[in-house]
Amino acid sequence: MAVDTETVKRIAFLARLKIEEDKIEETKKEFNDILEWVEQLNEVNTDNVEPLESVNEFHLALRDDVVSEGNQRDDVLCNAPDAEYGYFVVPKVVE
């Protein structure tokens, strides 16, 4: 599959990219090079290759999700510049 000038313009429009007229040919060549590289990847035999979750062999250490020192609303709100009815008061941002 080859990319033509109209396809480059369409891709630029859809991706909201501004490509100058004098750069269209260069961009077309880059797109075609990318597609050629993808075609090369399609030729690789991956029949006996298992899908990977990650290329790293280590696993993240997980900790228990434990609630500690809950019910501190008043202590937290005492740091707020303004609080009302147990909530933070913030300036209105939507009219």
Side-chain angles (χ1 to χ4, degrees):
M1 175 182 178
V3 175
D4 60 359
T5 303
E6 289 304 313
T7 306
V8 170
K9 290 180 181 179
R10 179 79 174 141
I11 291 170
F13 173 76
L14 292 172
R16 306 294 192 256
L17 299 173
K18 181 179 180 183
I19 300 176
E20 303 295 333
E21 283 295 323
D22 59 333
K23 299 287 186 184
I24 296 239
E25 286 300 315
E26 181 181 336
T27 305
K28 182 171 79 169
K29 182 185 178 319
E30 289 178 11
F31 284 174
N32 285 318
D33 288 346
I34 291 168
L35 290 174
E36 183 181 318
W37 180 71
V38 170
E39 287 299 321
Q40 288 177 1
L41 289 177
N42 284 335
E43 295 174 7
V44 175
N45 184 0
T46 58
D47 290 341
N48 296 322
V49 178
E50 292 184 31
L52 294 175
E53 293 176 4
S54 174
V55 294
N56 299 321
E57 291 295 325
F58 65 89
H59 300 282
L60 295 176
L62 301 177
R63 61 175 173 79
D64 292 333
D65 190 12
V66 179
V67 176
S68 59
E69 299 181 33
N71 297 326
Q72 295 186 5
R73 181 185 72 183
D74 295 333
D75 293 336
V76 171
L77 287 175
C78 74
N79 294 319
D82 195 9
E84 191 173 298
Y85 305 114
Y87 297 99
F88 289 102
V89 176
V90 296
K92 185 177 181 179
V93 294
V94 178
E95 294 294 325

